[in-house]
Amino acid sequence: MNPSTLRIATRKSALALWQAEHVAALLRAAHPGLVVELVPMSTRGDEILDQPLATIGGKGLFLKELEVAMLEDRADLAVHSLKDVPSQLEPGFVLPAILPRADAADAFVSNDYADLAALPHAARVGTSSLRRQAQLRSLRPDLVLLDLRGNVGTRLGKLDAGDYDAIVLACAGLERLGLAARIRSRLAAPDWLPAPGQAAIAIEARDDNPGVLSLLAALDDADTRLTISAERAMNQALGGSCTVPVGAWCMLGEHGLHLRGMVGDAASGRLLRADASGPGDQALALGRQVAAALLEQGAGKLLGL
């Protein structure tokens, strides 16, 4: 039997709340009469802002408190940016719905410079993402890369205060918050790869609640799930951690899937790349194939495997 009310666990940041409200609106439209409530909460990933994510446990820190709320029956589902969801979920949890992907590119944001090439020598660029650092260092080894944590508003505030000459954020996050005008240029595939699953919103729920799962299934986008499955399979085969720079971008065309993968070194800017194509029903195998090609090139040393 389907419940008449759904409770969404969400982080309290403006972007997380936007995503949760977006899911709530979609659920109400798909199931007229359904009551949907938000349960905002803070996570360790939100609270520890003075250290890089890679040193305090990775992006999974954004999920734990939301999963506990579901286990304790304080919430029925949680809404996440899929790039923050570990490639291996905790036992008892599934992703019954992945929404259509938005713009997966990264955004070059600056008040004084139009793009990465326009930055002066030794310009200060803010990002705590090792993936972004590796690609920045590969393209512009002269840049001074500085850590940048906090929500979107906090990061933009630090840029506007003059702490950085430029920062790198996700295009999708800026667009969802009505801040697309801050994007000076896009850092996009194939030259620049996003995080696996970037720009897709994922809905997580317990696997033992069929009523909730059936309501959520109406929001699932099959094409996005297919391409992201390849990216996440590649990431999982490489260790599935956010403590190393891994990028992935999969496209679905009339001839099937094409996956590009990257592993980098944030210190040196060395990038290893691989890509492969395959039929749409072989997304997981394609991800493992690209991961194997990267490991053959020596990605294991960069990943600490």
Side-chain angles (χ1 to χ4, degrees), residues 183-222:
I183 302 172
R184 295 297 298 271
S185 62
R186 294 171 68 254
L187 300 166
D191 300 320
W192 178 286
L193 295 188
Q198 183 163 315
I201 295 172
I203 302 176
E204 183 184 21
R206 289 168 52 170
D207 64 5
D208 60 355
N209 199 331
V212 170
L213 297 178
S214 67
L215 290 173
L216 299 178
L219 273 52
D220 191 51
D221 184 74

PDB file of all heavy atoms in Angstrom, residues 183-222:
ATOM      1  N   ILE A 183      28.347  32.554 -14.570  1.00  0.00           N
ATOM      2  CA  ILE A 183      29.191  31.663 -15.371  1.00  0.00           C
ATOM      3  C   ILE A 183      29.868  32.475 -16.478  1.00  0.00           C
ATOM      4  O   ILE A 183      29.207  32.989 -17.375  1.00  0.00           O
ATOM      5  CB  ILE A 183      28.364  30.517 -15.994  1.00  0.00           C
ATOM      6  CG1 ILE A 183      27.663  29.705 -14.910  1.00  0.00           C
ATOM      7  CG2 ILE A 183      29.258  29.618 -16.854  1.00  0.00           C
ATOM      8  CD1 ILE A 183      26.673  28.687 -15.441  1.00  0.00           C
ATOM      9  N   ARG A 184      31.188  32.583 -16.421  1.00  0.00           N
ATOM     10  CA  ARG A 184      31.920  33.318 -17.469  1.00  0.00           C
ATOM     11  C   ARG A 184      32.241  32.411 -18.649  1.00  0.00           C
ATOM     12  O   ARG A 184      32.212  32.834 -19.792  1.00  0.00           O
ATOM     13  CB  ARG A 184      33.219  33.910 -16.890  1.00  0.00           C
ATOM     14  CG  ARG A 184      33.006  34.962 -15.832  1.00  0.00           C
ATOM     15  CD  ARG A 184      32.277  36.195 -16.360  1.00  0.00           C
ATOM     16  NE  ARG A 184      33.011  36.882 -17.416  1.00  0.00           N
ATOM     17  CZ  ARG A 184      33.912  37.851 -17.218  1.00  0.00           C
ATOM     18  NH1 ARG A 184      34.207  38.230 -15.983  1.00  0.00           N
ATOM     19  NH2 ARG A 184      34.507  38.430 -18.237  1.00  0.00           N
ATOM     20  N   SER A 185      32.569  31.155 -18.365  1.00  0.00           N
ATOM     21  CA  SER A 185      32.804  30.180 -19.438  1.00  0.00           C
ATOM     22  C   SER A 185      32.597  28.783 -18.879  1.00  0.00           C
ATOM     23  O   SER A 185      32.640  28.570 -17.665  1.00  0.00           O
ATOM     24  CB  SER A 185      34.209  30.323 -20.030  1.00  0.00           C
ATOM     25  OG  SER A 185      35.205  30.065 -19.056  1.00  0.00           O
ATOM     26  N   ARG A 186      32.348  27.836 -19.800  1.00  0.00           N
ATOM     27  CA  ARG A 186      32.094  26.453 -19.401  1.00  0.00           C
ATOM     28  C   ARG A 186      33.346  25.618 -19.608  1.00  0.00           C
ATOM     29  O   ARG A 186      34.039  25.742 -20.623  1.00  0.00           O
ATOM     30  CB  ARG A 186      30.945  25.858 -20.230  1.00  0.00           C
ATOM     31  CG  ARG A 186      29.600  26.522 -19.966  1.00  0.00           C
ATOM     32  CD  ARG A 186      28.549  26.073 -20.952  1.00  0.00           C
ATOM     33  NE  ARG A 186      28.169  24.664 -20.781  1.00  0.00           N
ATOM     34  CZ  ARG A 186      28.526  23.681 -21.581  1.00  0.00           C
ATOM     35  NH1 ARG A 186      29.294  23.920 -22.632  1.00  0.00           N
ATOM     36  NH2 ARG A 186      28.113  22.448 -21.359  1.00  0.00           N
ATOM     37  N   LEU A 187      33.638  24.777 -18.641  1.00  0.00           N
ATOM     38  CA  LEU A 187      34.718  23.794 -18.743  1.00  0.00           C
ATOM     39  C   LEU A 187      34.027  22.458 -18.997  1.00  0.00           C
ATOM     40  O   LEU A 187      33.405  21.895 -18.101  1.00  0.00           O
ATOM     41  CB  LEU A 187      35.525  23.772 -17.444  1.00  0.00           C
ATOM     42  CG  LEU A 187      36.185  25.109 -17.073  1.00  0.00           C
ATOM     43  CD1 LEU A 187      36.660  25.097 -15.623  1.00  0.00           C
ATOM     44  CD2 LEU A 187      37.348  25.416 -18.012  1.00  0.00           C
ATOM     45  N   ALA A 188      34.096  21.988 -20.235  1.00  0.00           N
ATOM     46  CA  ALA A 188      33.204  20.899 -20.650  1.00  0.00           C
ATOM     47  C   ALA A 188      33.946  19.797 -21.386  1.00  0.00           C
ATOM     48  O   ALA A 188      35.060  19.989 -21.890  1.00  0.00           O
ATOM     49  CB  ALA A 188      32.091  21.457 -21.536  1.00  0.00           C
ATOM     50  N   ALA A 189      33.286  18.628 -21.448  1.00  0.00           N
ATOM     51  CA  ALA A 189      33.803  17.483 -22.198  1.00  0.00           C
ATOM     52  C   ALA A 189      33.852  17.854 -23.684  1.00  0.00           C
ATOM     53  O   ALA A 189      33.061  18.671 -24.149  1.00  0.00           O
ATOM     54  CB  ALA A 189      32.902  16.272 -21.976  1.00  0.00           C
ATOM     55  N   PRO A 190      34.771  17.238 -24.436  1.00  0.00           N
ATOM     56  CA  PRO A 190      35.661  16.135 -24.041  1.00  0.00           C
ATOM     57  C   PRO A 190      36.972  16.571 -23.397  1.00  0.00           C
ATOM     58  O   PRO A 190      37.686  15.748 -22.845  1.00  0.00           O
ATOM     59  CB  PRO A 190      35.939  15.429 -25.367  1.00  0.00           C
ATOM     60  CG  PRO A 190      35.929  16.536 -26.375  1.00  0.00           C
ATOM     61  CD  PRO A 190      34.852  17.499 -25.901  1.00  0.00           C
ATOM     62  N   ASP A 191      37.319  17.875 -23.483  1.00  0.00           N
ATOM     63  CA  ASP A 191      38.622  18.305 -22.968  1.00  0.00           C
ATOM     64  C   ASP A 191      38.664  18.308 -21.444  1.00  0.00           C
ATOM     65  O   ASP A 191      39.707  18.051 -20.845  1.00  0.00           O
ATOM     66  CB  ASP A 191      38.947  19.707 -23.499  1.00  0.00           C
ATOM     67  CG  ASP A 191      38.997  19.751 -25.020  1.00  0.00           C
ATOM     68  OD1 ASP A 191      39.528  18.789 -25.599  1.00  0.00           O
ATOM     69  OD2 ASP A 191      38.491  20.717 -25.608  1.00  0.00           O
ATOM     70  N   TRP A 192      37.536  18.620 -20.831  1.00  0.00           N
ATOM     71  CA  TRP A 192      37.447  18.720 -19.370  1.00  0.00           C
ATOM     72  C   TRP A 192      36.317  17.794 -18.931  1.00  0.00           C
ATOM     73  O   TRP A 192      35.204  17.910 -19.427  1.00  0.00           O
ATOM     74  CB  TRP A 192      37.145  20.164 -18.988  1.00  0.00           C
ATOM     75  CG  TRP A 192      36.985  20.428 -17.531  1.00  0.00           C
ATOM     76  CD1 TRP A 192      35.918  20.095 -16.744  1.00  0.00           C
ATOM     77  CD2 TRP A 192      37.903  21.112 -16.677  1.00  0.00           C
ATOM     78  NE1 TRP A 192      36.120  20.514 -15.453  1.00  0.00           N
ATOM     79  CE2 TRP A 192      37.324  21.148 -15.388  1.00  0.00           C
ATOM     80  CE3 TRP A 192      39.162  21.692 -16.874  1.00  0.00           C
ATOM     81  CZ2 TRP A 192      37.967  21.745 -14.299  1.00  0.00           C
ATOM     82  CZ3 TRP A 192      39.795  22.286 -15.788  1.00  0.00           C
ATOM     83  CH2 TRP A 192      39.209  22.315 -14.528  1.00  0.00           C
ATOM     84  N   LEU A 193      36.594  16.887 -18.002  1.00  0.00           N
ATOM     85  CA  LEU A 193      35.575  15.911 -17.610  1.00  0.00           C
ATOM     86  C   LEU A 193      34.979  16.231 -16.243  1.00  0.00           C
ATOM     87  O   LEU A 193      35.702  16.595 -15.311  1.00  0.00           O
ATOM     88  CB  LEU A 193      36.166  14.497 -17.583  1.00  0.00           C
ATOM     89  CG  LEU A 193      36.629  13.929 -18.925  1.00  0.00           C
ATOM     90  CD1 LEU A 193      37.015  12.459 -18.769  1.00  0.00           C
ATOM     91  CD2 LEU A 193      35.564  14.084 -20.000  1.00  0.00           C
ATOM     92  N   PRO A 194      33.659  16.077 -16.113  1.00  0.00           N
ATOM     93  CA  PRO A 194      32.991  16.303 -14.837  1.00  0.00           C
ATOM     94  C   PRO A 194      33.180  15.116 -13.903  1.00  0.00           C
ATOM     95  O   PRO A 194      33.744  14.078 -14.286  1.00  0.00           O
ATOM     96  CB  PRO A 194      31.520  16.447 -15.241  1.00  0.00           C
ATOM     97  CG  PRO A 194      31.391  15.554 -16.446  1.00  0.00           C
ATOM     98  CD  PRO A 194      32.702  15.688 -17.175  1.00  0.00           C
ATOM     99  N   ALA A 195      32.684  15.246 -12.697  1.00  0.00           N
ATOM    100  CA  ALA A 195      32.657  14.120 -11.772  1.00  0.00           C
ATOM    101  C   ALA A 195      31.623  13.106 -12.239  1.00  0.00           C
ATOM    102  O   ALA A 195      30.631  13.465 -12.884  1.00  0.00           O
ATOM    103  CB  ALA A 195      32.296  14.607 -10.366  1.00  0.00           C
ATOM    104  N   PRO A 196      31.828  11.823 -11.961  1.00  0.00           N
ATOM    105  CA  PRO A 196      30.805  10.830 -12.306  1.00  0.00           C
ATOM    106  C   PRO A 196      29.451  11.214 -11.711  1.00  0.00           C
ATOM    107  O   PRO A 196      29.349  11.481 -10.512  1.00  0.00           O
ATOM    108  CB  PRO A 196      31.342   9.536 -11.682  1.00  0.00           C
ATOM    109  CG  PRO A 196      32.829   9.739 -11.602  1.00  0.00           C
ATOM    110  CD  PRO A 196      33.013  11.197 -11.322  1.00  0.00           C
ATOM    111  N   GLY A 197      28.438  11.279 -12.553  1.00  0.00           N
ATOM    112  CA  GLY A 197      27.100  11.608 -12.077  1.00  0.00           C
ATOM    113  C   GLY A 197      26.822  13.083 -11.882  1.00  0.00           C
ATOM    114  O   GLY A 197      25.721  13.455 -11.453  1.00  0.00           O
ATOM    115  N   GLN A 198      27.782  13.954 -12.212  1.00  0.00           N
ATOM    116  CA  GLN A 198      27.576  15.384 -11.977  1.00  0.00           C
ATOM    117  C   GLN A 198      26.344  15.901 -12.719  1.00  0.00           C
ATOM    118  O   GLN A 198      26.080  15.517 -13.855  1.00  0.00           O
ATOM    119  CB  GLN A 198      28.825  16.161 -12.419  1.00  0.00           C
ATOM    120  CG  GLN A 198      28.759  17.660 -12.160  1.00  0.00           C
ATOM    121  CD  GLN A 198      30.122  18.310 -12.211  1.00  0.00           C
ATOM    122  OE1 GLN A 198      31.082  17.792 -11.636  1.00  0.00           O
ATOM    123  NE2 GLN A 198      30.236  19.445 -12.876  1.00  0.00           N
ATOM    124  N   ALA A 199      25.588  16.780 -12.067  1.00  0.00           N
ATOM    125  CA  ALA A 199      24.404  17.471 -12.613  1.00  0.00           C
ATOM    126  C   ALA A 199      23.146  16.617 -12.602  1.00  0.00           C
ATOM    127  O   ALA A 199      22.108  17.054 -13.089  1.00  0.00           O
ATOM    128  CB  ALA A 199      24.649  17.999 -14.019  1.00  0.00           C
ATOM    129  N   ALA A 200      23.213  15.421 -12.043  1.00  0.00           N
ATOM    130  CA  ALA A 200      22.007  14.595 -11.900  1.00  0.00           C
ATOM    131  C   ALA A 200      21.580  14.581 -10.436  1.00  0.00           C
ATOM    132  O   ALA A 200      22.410  14.555  -9.525  1.00  0.00           O
ATOM    133  CB  ALA A 200      22.256  13.174 -12.381  1.00  0.00           C
ATOM    134  N   ILE A 201      20.289  14.612 -10.211  1.00  0.00           N
ATOM    135  CA  ILE A 201      19.716  14.530  -8.871  1.00  0.00           C
ATOM    136  C   ILE A 201      19.257  13.099  -8.630  1.00  0.00           C
ATOM    137  O   ILE A 201      18.558  12.520  -9.465  1.00  0.00           O
ATOM    138  CB  ILE A 201      18.532  15.503  -8.722  1.00  0.00           C
ATOM    139  CG1 ILE A 201      19.016  16.955  -8.840  1.00  0.00           C
ATOM    140  CG2 ILE A 201      17.814  15.286  -7.392  1.00  0.00           C
ATOM    141  CD1 ILE A 201      17.888  17.971  -8.887  1.00  0.00           C
ATOM    142  N   ALA A 202      19.673  12.541  -7.504  1.00  0.00           N
ATOM    143  CA  ALA A 202      19.318  11.157  -7.163  1.00  0.00           C
ATOM    144  C   ALA A 202      18.408  11.125  -5.951  1.00  0.00           C
ATOM    145  O   ALA A 202      18.541  11.935  -5.030  1.00  0.00           O
ATOM    146  CB  ALA A 202      20.573  10.333  -6.890  1.00  0.00           C
ATOM    147  N   ILE A 203      17.486  10.185  -5.961  1.00  0.00           N
ATOM    148  CA  ILE A 203      16.605   9.968  -4.821  1.00  0.00           C
ATOM    149  C   ILE A 203      16.970   8.635  -4.191  1.00  0.00           C
ATOM    150  O   ILE A 203      17.012   7.597  -4.866  1.00  0.00           O
ATOM    151  CB  ILE A 203      15.127   9.965  -5.249  1.00  0.00           C
ATOM    152  CG1 ILE A 203      14.780  11.291  -5.935  1.00  0.00           C
ATOM    153  CG2 ILE A 203      14.224   9.729  -4.046  1.00  0.00           C
ATOM    154  CD1 ILE A 203      13.366  11.333  -6.487  1.00  0.00           C
ATOM    155  N   GLU A 204      17.261   8.671  -2.890  1.00  0.00           N
ATOM    156  CA  GLU A 204      17.650   7.471  -2.150  1.00  0.00           C
ATOM    157  C   GLU A 204      16.522   7.073  -1.201  1.00  0.00           C
ATOM    158  O   GLU A 204      15.850   7.929  -0.621  1.00  0.00           O
ATOM    159  CB  GLU A 204      18.928   7.742  -1.346  1.00  0.00           C
ATOM    160  CG  GLU A 204      19.463   6.523  -0.604  1.00  0.00           C
ATOM    161  CD  GLU A 204      20.684   6.854   0.254  1.00  0.00           C
ATOM    162  OE1 GLU A 204      20.873   8.038   0.593  1.00  0.00           O
ATOM    163  OE2 GLU A 204      21.428   5.921   0.585  1.00  0.00           O
ATOM    164  N   ALA A 205      16.310   5.775  -1.061  1.00  0.00           N
ATOM    165  CA  ALA A 205      15.282   5.277  -0.148  1.00  0.00           C
ATOM    166  C   ALA A 205      15.703   3.908   0.383  1.00  0.00           C
ATOM    167  O   ALA A 205      16.640   3.281  -0.134  1.00  0.00           O
ATOM    168  CB  ALA A 205      13.929   5.179  -0.851  1.00  0.00           C
ATOM    169  N   ARG A 206      14.996   3.452   1.406  1.00  0.00           N
ATOM    170  CA  ARG A 206      15.231   2.109   1.920  1.00  0.00           C
ATOM    171  C   ARG A 206      14.679   1.084   0.934  1.00  0.00           C
ATOM    172  O   ARG A 206      13.654   1.313   0.280  1.00  0.00           O
ATOM    173  CB  ARG A 206      14.569   1.949   3.284  1.00  0.00           C
ATOM    174  CG  ARG A 206      15.261   2.725   4.384  1.00  0.00           C
ATOM    175  CD  ARG A 206      14.444   2.803   5.662  1.00  0.00           C
ATOM    176  NE  ARG A 206      13.985   1.490   6.129  1.00  0.00           N
ATOM    177  CZ  ARG A 206      13.423   1.310   7.322  1.00  0.00           C
ATOM    178  NH1 ARG A 206      13.237   2.337   8.135  1.00  0.00           N
ATOM    179  NH2 ARG A 206      13.022   0.111   7.687  1.00  0.00           N
ATOM    180  N   ASP A 207      15.349  -0.067   0.861  1.00  0.00           N
ATOM    181  CA  ASP A 207      14.924  -1.088  -0.111  1.00  0.00           C
ATOM    182  C   ASP A 207      13.787  -1.963   0.399  1.00  0.00           C
ATOM    183  O   ASP A 207      13.299  -2.835  -0.327  1.00  0.00           O
ATOM    184  CB  ASP A 207      16.112  -1.958  -0.538  1.00  0.00           C
ATOM    185  CG  ASP A 207      16.706  -2.769   0.622  1.00  0.00           C
ATOM    186  OD1 ASP A 207      16.138  -2.727   1.741  1.00  0.00           O
ATOM    187  OD2 ASP A 207      17.742  -3.434   0.406  1.00  0.00           O
ATOM    188  N   ASP A 208      13.344  -1.721   1.662  1.00  0.00           N
ATOM    189  CA  ASP A 208      12.308  -2.573   2.239  1.00  0.00           C
ATOM    190  C   ASP A 208      10.957  -1.860   2.343  1.00  0.00           C
ATOM    191  O   ASP A 208      10.108  -2.222   3.153  1.00  0.00           O
ATOM    192  CB  ASP A 208      12.738  -3.066   3.629  1.00  0.00           C
ATOM    193  CG  ASP A 208      12.982  -1.922   4.614  1.00  0.00           C
ATOM    194  OD1 ASP A 208      12.906  -0.744   4.203  1.00  0.00           O
ATOM    195  OD2 ASP A 208      13.268  -2.208   5.801  1.00  0.00           O
ATOM    196  N   ASN A 209      10.767  -0.829   1.516  1.00  0.00           N
ATOM    197  CA  ASN A 209       9.528  -0.066   1.563  1.00  0.00           C
ATOM    198  C   ASN A 209       8.935   0.035   0.162  1.00  0.00           C
ATOM    199  O   ASN A 209       9.071   1.053  -0.519  1.00  0.00           O
ATOM    200  CB  ASN A 209       9.780   1.328   2.141  1.00  0.00           C
ATOM    201  CG  ASN A 209       8.505   1.988   2.640  1.00  0.00           C
ATOM    202  OD1 ASN A 209       7.420   1.713   2.126  1.00  0.00           O
ATOM    203  ND2 ASN A 209       8.641   2.867   3.620  1.00  0.00           N
ATOM    204  N   PRO A 210       8.268  -1.033  -0.310  1.00  0.00           N
ATOM    205  CA  PRO A 210       7.788  -1.056  -1.699  1.00  0.00           C
ATOM    206  C   PRO A 210       6.799   0.055  -2.030  1.00  0.00           C
ATOM    207  O   PRO A 210       6.749   0.519  -3.183  1.00  0.00           O
ATOM    208  CB  PRO A 210       7.139  -2.438  -1.828  1.00  0.00           C
ATOM    209  CG  PRO A 210       6.862  -2.885  -0.417  1.00  0.00           C
ATOM    210  CD  PRO A 210       7.941  -2.273   0.412  1.00  0.00           C
ATOM    211  N   GLY A 211       6.003   0.492  -1.056  1.00  0.00           N
ATOM    212  CA  GLY A 211       5.063   1.575  -1.331  1.00  0.00           C
ATOM    213  C   GLY A 211       5.768   2.857  -1.708  1.00  0.00           C
ATOM    214  O   GLY A 211       5.401   3.528  -2.692  1.00  0.00           O
ATOM    215  N   VAL A 212       6.816   3.195  -0.963  1.00  0.00           N
ATOM    216  CA  VAL A 212       7.604   4.388  -1.262  1.00  0.00           C
ATOM    217  C   VAL A 212       8.328   4.224  -2.594  1.00  0.00           C
ATOM    218  O   VAL A 212       8.348   5.134  -3.442  1.00  0.00           O
ATOM    219  CB  VAL A 212       8.605   4.673  -0.123  1.00  0.00           C
ATOM    220  CG1 VAL A 212       9.600   5.759  -0.531  1.00  0.00           C
ATOM    221  CG2 VAL A 212       7.874   5.073   1.143  1.00  0.00           C
ATOM    222  N   LEU A 213       8.918   3.061  -2.820  1.00  0.00           N
ATOM    223  CA  LEU A 213       9.675   2.826  -4.047  1.00  0.00           C
ATOM    224  C   LEU A 213       8.793   2.953  -5.284  1.00  0.00           C
ATOM    225  O   LEU A 213       9.220   3.492  -6.312  1.00  0.00           O
ATOM    226  CB  LEU A 213      10.333   1.444  -4.012  1.00  0.00           C
ATOM    227  CG  LEU A 213      11.381   1.226  -2.911  1.00  0.00           C
ATOM    228  CD1 LEU A 213      11.920  -0.192  -2.961  1.00  0.00           C
ATOM    229  CD2 LEU A 213      12.518   2.228  -3.038  1.00  0.00           C
ATOM    230  N   SER A 214       7.557   2.490  -5.194  1.00  0.00           N
ATOM    231  CA  SER A 214       6.672   2.565  -6.356  1.00  0.00           C
ATOM    232  C   SER A 214       6.301   4.004  -6.676  1.00  0.00           C
ATOM    233  O   SER A 214       6.173   4.382  -7.848  1.00  0.00           O
ATOM    234  CB  SER A 214       5.414   1.725  -6.126  1.00  0.00           C
ATOM    235  OG  SER A 214       4.609   2.278  -5.099  1.00  0.00           O
ATOM    236  N   LEU A 215       6.145   4.847  -5.651  1.00  0.00           N
ATOM    237  CA  LEU A 215       5.849   6.264  -5.883  1.00  0.00           C
ATOM    238  C   LEU A 215       7.044   6.974  -6.521  1.00  0.00           C
ATOM    239  O   LEU A 215       6.886   7.809  -7.419  1.00  0.00           O
ATOM    240  CB  LEU A 215       5.491   6.945  -4.566  1.00  0.00           C
ATOM    241  CG  LEU A 215       4.151   6.557  -3.925  1.00  0.00           C
ATOM    242  CD1 LEU A 215       4.021   7.190  -2.548  1.00  0.00           C
ATOM    243  CD2 LEU A 215       2.981   6.965  -4.802  1.00  0.00           C
ATOM    244  N   LEU A 216       8.235   6.629  -6.088  1.00  0.00           N
ATOM    245  CA  LEU A 216       9.440   7.296  -6.579  1.00  0.00           C
ATOM    246  C   LEU A 216       9.803   6.870  -8.003  1.00  0.00           C
ATOM    247  O   LEU A 216      10.389   7.648  -8.763  1.00  0.00           O
ATOM    248  CB  LEU A 216      10.614   7.020  -5.642  1.00  0.00           C
ATOM    249  CG  LEU A 216      10.441   7.514  -4.202  1.00  0.00           C
ATOM    250  CD1 LEU A 216      11.652   7.130  -3.363  1.00  0.00           C
ATOM    251  CD2 LEU A 216      10.236   9.025  -4.168  1.00  0.00           C
ATOM    252  N   ALA A 217       9.454   5.636  -8.361  1.00  0.00           N
ATOM    253  CA  ALA A 217       9.834   5.105  -9.672  1.00  0.00           C
ATOM    254  C   ALA A 217       9.300   5.953 -10.819  1.00  0.00           C
ATOM    255  O   ALA A 217       9.902   5.998 -11.906  1.00  0.00           O
ATOM    256  CB  ALA A 217       9.339   3.665  -9.809  1.00  0.00           C
ATOM    257  N   ALA A 218       8.215   6.668 -10.595  1.00  0.00           N
ATOM    258  CA  ALA A 218       7.623   7.495 -11.650  1.00  0.00           C
ATOM    259  C   ALA A 218       8.543   8.632 -12.080  1.00  0.00           C
ATOM    260  O   ALA A 218       8.382   9.190 -13.177  1.00  0.00           O
ATOM    261  CB  ALA A 218       6.287   8.066 -11.166  1.00  0.00           C
ATOM    262  N   LEU A 219       9.519   8.974 -11.246  1.00  0.00           N
ATOM    263  CA  LEU A 219      10.407  10.099 -11.546  1.00  0.00           C
ATOM    264  C   LEU A 219      11.695   9.660 -12.233  1.00  0.00           C
ATOM    265  O   LEU A 219      12.506  10.508 -12.623  1.00  0.00           O
ATOM    266  CB  LEU A 219      10.759  10.851 -10.260  1.00  0.00           C
ATOM    267  CG  LEU A 219       9.811  11.960  -9.804  1.00  0.00           C
ATOM    268  CD1 LEU A 219       8.374  11.499  -9.719  1.00  0.00           C
ATOM    269  CD2 LEU A 219      10.283  12.545  -8.472  1.00  0.00           C
ATOM    270  N   ASP A 220      11.911   8.378 -12.384  1.00  0.00           N
ATOM    271  CA  ASP A 220      13.185   7.889 -12.918  1.00  0.00           C
ATOM    272  C   ASP A 220      13.315   8.157 -14.409  1.00  0.00           C
ATOM    273  O   ASP A 220      12.379   7.932 -15.182  1.00  0.00           O
ATOM    274  CB  ASP A 220      13.312   6.385 -12.654  1.00  0.00           C
ATOM    275  CG  ASP A 220      14.706   5.861 -12.946  1.00  0.00           C
ATOM    276  OD1 ASP A 220      15.669   6.458 -12.440  1.00  0.00           O
ATOM    277  OD2 ASP A 220      14.823   4.857 -13.679  1.00  0.00           O
ATOM    278  N   ASP A 221      14.494   8.659 -14.821  1.00  0.00           N
ATOM    279  CA  ASP A 221      14.788   8.903 -16.232  1.00  0.00           C
ATOM    280  C   ASP A 221      15.723   7.804 -16.727  1.00  0.00           C
ATOM    281  O   ASP A 221      16.886   7.732 -16.321  1.00  0.00           O
ATOM    282  CB  ASP A 221      15.435  10.274 -16.423  1.00  0.00           C
ATOM    283  CG  ASP A 221      15.673  10.599 -17.886  1.00  0.00           C
ATOM    284  OD1 ASP A 221      14.698  10.905 -18.583  1.00  0.00           O
ATOM    285  OD2 ASP A 221      16.835  10.525 -18.329  1.00  0.00           O
ATOM    286  N   ALA A 222      15.228   6.961 -17.620  1.00  0.00           N
ATOM    287  CA  ALA A 222      15.969   5.762 -18.032  1.00  0.00           C
ATOM    288  C   ALA A 222      17.286   6.101 -18.723  1.00  0.00           C
ATOM    289  O   ALA A 222      18.309   5.448 -18.488  1.00  0.00           O
ATOM    290  CB  ALA A 222      15.091   4.901 -18.944  1.00  0.00           C
TER     291      ALA A 222
END
